Structure formats: C-alpha cells, structure tokens
Amino acid sequence: PALSYMWIFNNTTLDLGADSRRFISQATGNLYLAKVEPWDVGNYTCAVSSAEAQRQVWGTPTALSLRGDGVMGEYEPKIEVRFPETTYAAKGSSARLECFALGK
C-alpha cells in the first residue's frame, strides 16, 4: 500500500508549500533541512499514514539543537560511499543505488 509521510514541528504540521530549505522525500520519509537557522530548533516528529489501511502512526519526537561553537562535529565535510559488496536485482526490475554527501 502507498504510504504518505509528513513531519510535525513543535506540534504543528510542517507546511512546505513555499519552503525551499526543507523537503520531505515521499520515497523514504526523510526530512531534509538546508542552511539550518535558529528558528529551526525544536522537536520534529514523523507521521506515516496509509489511506488504504486507514491508519496513521507517529514516531517519537527528535530534538534539533544548534551547536554554540559552530563546529559540525561528526558532520564535518566528508564524502562516504557505502554500498553492499553485491546488489541483486531481478531482470526487468528497477534498482536504486544511493550516493550521499553531508557537510558544511
């Protein structure tokens, strides 16, 4: 069944209609924030729903805080590639390999 994802910020549904800094992937449910600002600090909760199952489930809140020292810590600029040694796909099916870079 098709799933739909939304995010709640400080108990209010995120409205991303005109927001070019935030994006919700409807494929993975991930929330992406670009250029974090002080007003982005707060609690984020993911909600997943299925119209077919007529059900909605909420995750636990995740807090976003700003570091006072401006250091990215574990998120200092780096590029990592982590693929399994072998990826299998059936003939005629689709395969997806992701590449992800994170940093400031």
Side-chain angles (χ1 to χ4, degrees):
L3 298 177
S4 177
Y5 302 94
M6 70 176 185
W7 281 82
I8 313 301
F9 173 60
N10 292 335
N11 298 318
T12 302
T13 302
L14 274 178
D15 179 14
L16 305 182
D19 191 336
S20 61
R21 292 186 318 108
R22 297 183 287 191
F23 168 75
I24 299 172
S25 168
Q26 288 302 314
T28 64
N30 293 345
L31 170 66
Y32 298 93
L33 286 89
K35 299 180 183 175
V36 173
E37 298 289 345
W39 51 84
D40 293 320
V41 169
N43 291 309
Y44 290 83
T45 305
C46 178
V48 182
S49 60
S50 167
E52 185 177 318
Q54 298 181 4
R55 187 157 187 231
Q56 184 176 56
V57 179
W58 290 41
T60 56
T62 299
L64 175 67
S65 301
L66 290 181
R67 289 183 62 124
D69 58 10
V71 175
M72 292 285 289
E74 67 177 277
Y75 298 113
E76 291 173 4
K78 63 183 174 182
I79 296 176
E80 291 184 12
V81 178
R82 284 182 268 165
F83 291 117
E85 192 171 304
T86 304
T87 300
Y88 297 95
K91 182 179 179 182
S93 69
S94 298
R96 184 170 103 187
L97 302 177
E98 290 185 325
C99 183
F100 186 75
L102 179 65
K104 178 178 178 184

